[in-house]
Amino acid sequence: MTYEELDQIAKAARAENDKYEHEINVCMGTGCLSQHSDKLKEALAASVAAQGKNTFVRRTGCMGLCAAGPLVLVDPQEVLYQHVSAGNAEAIVNSLDGEPVTALQCDLRDHFDRQVHIVLENSGHIDPEKIDDYIARDGYQALVSALTDMTPKGVIHQVTESGLRGRGGGGYPTGLKWGTVAKASGDMKYVICNGDEGDPGAFMDRSVLESDPHRVLEGMAIAAFAVGASKAYVYVRAEYPLAVSRLATCLRDARRRGLLGNGICGTTFNFDVEIRLGAGAFVCGEETALIASIEGKRGTPKPRPPYPAVSGLWGKPTLINNVETFANIAPIIRKGGKWFAGIGSERSKGTKVFALTGKITNTGLVEVPMGIKLREIIEEIGGGVPYGHTFKAVQTGGPSGGCLPAELLDIGVSYDALVKVGAMMGSGGMIVMDDTSCMVNVARFFIEFCMTESCGKCIPCRAGTAQMFTLLNRICTGQGTLDDLELLEDLCSTVKEASLCGLGQTAPNPVLSTLKYFRHEYIDHIVHKRCPAGVCNIKAPVAEIPAEVLA
Amino acid sequence: MPTFTPPPLPSDDKRWKIVNGTMRKNGFARNALIETLHTVQSSFGYLDDNAIRFVAQSLRVPLSQAYGVVTFYHHFSLKPPGKHTMTVCTGTACYIKGTDKLLASAEAKLGIAQGHTTKDGNISLMTARCVGACGRAPVVLTDGELQGMMTGEILLEQLERWAVE
């Protein structure tokens, strides 16, 4: 594959698209598929055929706004329809040459205009299972230019210059990590793509893998070239069957096109990728545990150092990055590190994809530049809290993150700012809670999660989270005392400081942050024996009635 | 050094050939343990002693290690599933939107706790840690098919339908 060949494929694909007067894009991500968007697509295609319109009906990946699904986007007019069912197919096809169907039209300018799409730029525009669609939108150009015009050092320099930081949550500078693996000595090196998105309430990685798998693959190939690896693994959760099957198709197509395999682009660069299925263990999102899982063992973490960059998979130097990190690589190489560094805030560059869920109007995926205020994301892009309820808290970072109250909504979203207030970026889950959520109950939910997901290797995490759960359970059922609260705080610091891996070290975060910002709710449960949100099942204290009164 | 010959297939069941195929594809390497167990689970629906023993012997992995892996990961099940499976998502977004109540009503209706199968082997009630469809919370999987914006009534209706089948 050379530039010219790539260009030819792109031109042919574009010419194929230009043959049609209209394009109807139907979202077929997991969210819309659950509402039978596959049947909708069939109905649209049948209707187009029946009316003899010169229109192409395309399956696409996620369009982001899951709350309004199934979504249909009509190009070139760029009309977005929401809540479309197979019954509406004919009306939409009829309207192609005239006025759009107003009853179905989705007019959420605020939602879309404030977003900046880099990772999601192809999502909703291409058919994820067609490699030509991806190439038509500048796909694989970055790989070809890296292989033919750049040195591995040059690639790493661009990534370093971009200021990209790991999107899995930790925020480690990606360029630095690549540099370490590139410098490590070894005959064999590995690249691993971490798609074990265990955070409940987060689905960015699933969506990227489902909507634009080639983007991730291209990022991985560039990474492998930069660090000198020739073998890679994608570790995906078994709970994401659609992502796995689309990824498998994508690998097969790339192999067929000579973008995977031996001697890619006529160079000496060999690269191949294998898919490994996760088996439902949250701890496997931790890099050393993930490596153990790929090796076919129980997913328990190891103390670091040695870091995987030096001794990882089968003791070889290994580069592990998150799905979203790899998805950022191709645009960086194509447009340059400086371009990327121009987006975002001072120490957090680029954009971040968030999964906006919970008690919010526009649930779904959003991609925003770093540094944007939480308030903008929630109130303007997210459309605020529905049904007249009031906002109480937003939870970021999954079970390792924290709950932030309304007073902190004006902070800018960046790795450092979120850590400073006791939460963390995490992989990008953002769960909004309103006045019907009890913060003590939420803290108990997260601790229960960490307790069941603890791998059991180190005692602070294994026993600590279990004890914390017992204490929180007592408080939730109205049996807690103020001594319990003190003990809980004490345990939090022990678990935080003494645990082996990230799971245990961050497990107390939900408790610490709710204690910090919503302490009055804990006091209400303990002292007044009541749950302000009415969630916890506290039995009313039975007054001691003297025996003689009863008699 | 004598060459290793994998043990014979446990029975004529064609599904064992699929399992053997996965192992052969991976060159009977020890690290293919999880991959192979995935194949067993998807072909048979669960992992019984017989299957774990066969896989462990074929891959030359200690039986203790194979059993350790099976019990470590939530995805693997040691019990056969019911004819129908209702999986309730208990991820954060679903929890905030009340799946705990959905789960409680399903448990009350079926008279079993989560993770169990009704006595007649008809319905299994399972939980999942986030299926990644949080935009449609609360979510349940009915026989693997995702259904969003679930309510108690729809859930009970579905269980009713399965019960009379």
Side-chain angles (χ1 to χ4, degrees), chain A residues 183-227:
Chain A
K183 274 185 216 126
S185 57
D187 49 340
M188 192 71 197
K189 291 180 189 174
Y190 294 98
V191 169
I192 296 175
C193 174
N194 184 348
D196 190 56
E197 190 173 44
D199 275 16
F203 54 95
M204 301 77 46
D205 294 355
R206 171 183 68 69
S207 197
V208 171
L209 286 172
E210 278 175 14
S211 313
D212 202 2
H214 283 286
R215 171 67 81 85
V216 180
L217 184 64
E218 187 180 2
M220 289 173 72
I222 295 169
F225 170 70
V227 303

Side-chain angles (χ1 to χ4, degrees), chain A residues 21-22 53 74 77 79 81 91-102 105:
Chain A
E21 254 172 76
H22 303 278
K53 296 244 171 160
V74 178
Q77 294 96 319
V79 181
Y81 293 115
I92 290 178
V93 176
N94 281 335
S95 75
L96 280 178
D97 298 312
E99 286 298 302
V101 187
T102 37
Q105 220 172 337

Side-chain angles (χ1 to χ4, degrees), chain A residues 35-109:
Chain A
Q35 297 173 85
H36 312 293
S37 64
D38 46 346
K39 296 211 176 81
L40 166 65
K41 184 181 169 252
E42 280 168 28
L44 282 165
S47 185
V48 163
Q51 301 195 21
K53 296 244 171 160
N54 187 16
T55 301
F56 184 62
V57 183
R58 175 184 283 124
R59 155 185 58 193
T60 72
C62 185
M63 296 187 184
L65 193 60
C66 304
L71 291 163
V72 168
L73 177 71
V74 178
D75 274 337
Q77 294 96 319
E78 290 200 9
V79 181
L80 185 68
Y81 293 115
Q82 60 181 354
H83 299 300
V84 188
S85 66
N88 305 124
E90 215 172 319
I92 290 178
V93 176
N94 281 335
S95 75
L96 280 178
D97 298 312
E99 286 298 302
V101 187
T102 37
L104 293 169
Q105 220 172 337
C106 171
D107 190 29
L108 280 169
R109 286 269 158 255

Side-chain angles (χ1 to χ4, degrees), chain B residues 7 34 45 48 82 85 94 108 125 127 133-134 137 140 154:
Chain B
I34 294 177
D48 62 4
T85 310
C94 292
L125 182 65
T127 55
C134 316
V140 301
I154 305 177

Side-chain angles (χ1 to χ4, degrees), chain A residues 129-265:
Chain A
E129 296 191 22
K130 279 201 182 138
I131 188 169
D132 291 1
D133 267 21
Y134 178 64
I135 293 175
R137 287 178 72 97
D138 298 337
Y140 287 111
Q141 271 191 10
L143 177 63
V144 175
S145 86
L147 289 180
T148 50
D149 307 334
M150 293 167 89
T151 60
K153 265 201 181 133
V155 174
I156 295 176
H157 177 73
Q158 288 292 334
V159 175
T160 311
E161 200 177 44
S162 74
L164 176 66
R165 294 171 69 174
R167 294 292 191 247
Y172 191 78
T174 307
L176 203 59
K177 201 185 238 182
W178 288 26
T180 318
V181 182
K183 274 185 216 126
S185 57
D187 49 340
M188 192 71 197
K189 291 180 189 174
Y190 294 98
V191 169
I192 296 175
C193 174
N194 184 348
D196 190 56
E197 190 173 44
D199 275 16
F203 54 95
M204 301 77 46
D205 294 355
R206 171 183 68 69
S207 197
V208 171
L209 286 172
E210 278 175 14
S211 313
D212 202 2
H214 283 286
R215 171 67 81 85
V216 180
L217 184 64
E218 187 180 2
M220 289 173 72
I222 295 169
F225 170 70
V227 303
S230 59
K231 173 96 196 166
Y233 292 94
V234 190
Y235 191 89
V236 197
R237 294 179 75 201
E239 285 90 339
Y240 293 170
L242 188 64
V244 174
S245 81
R246 288 200 176 151
L247 199 56
T249 313
C250 145
L251 292 181
R252 203 180 54 224
D253 290 347
R255 250 177 230 129
R256 208 171 281 162
R257 287 265 188 225
L259 291 159
L260 271 186
N262 290 339
I264 299 169
C265 301

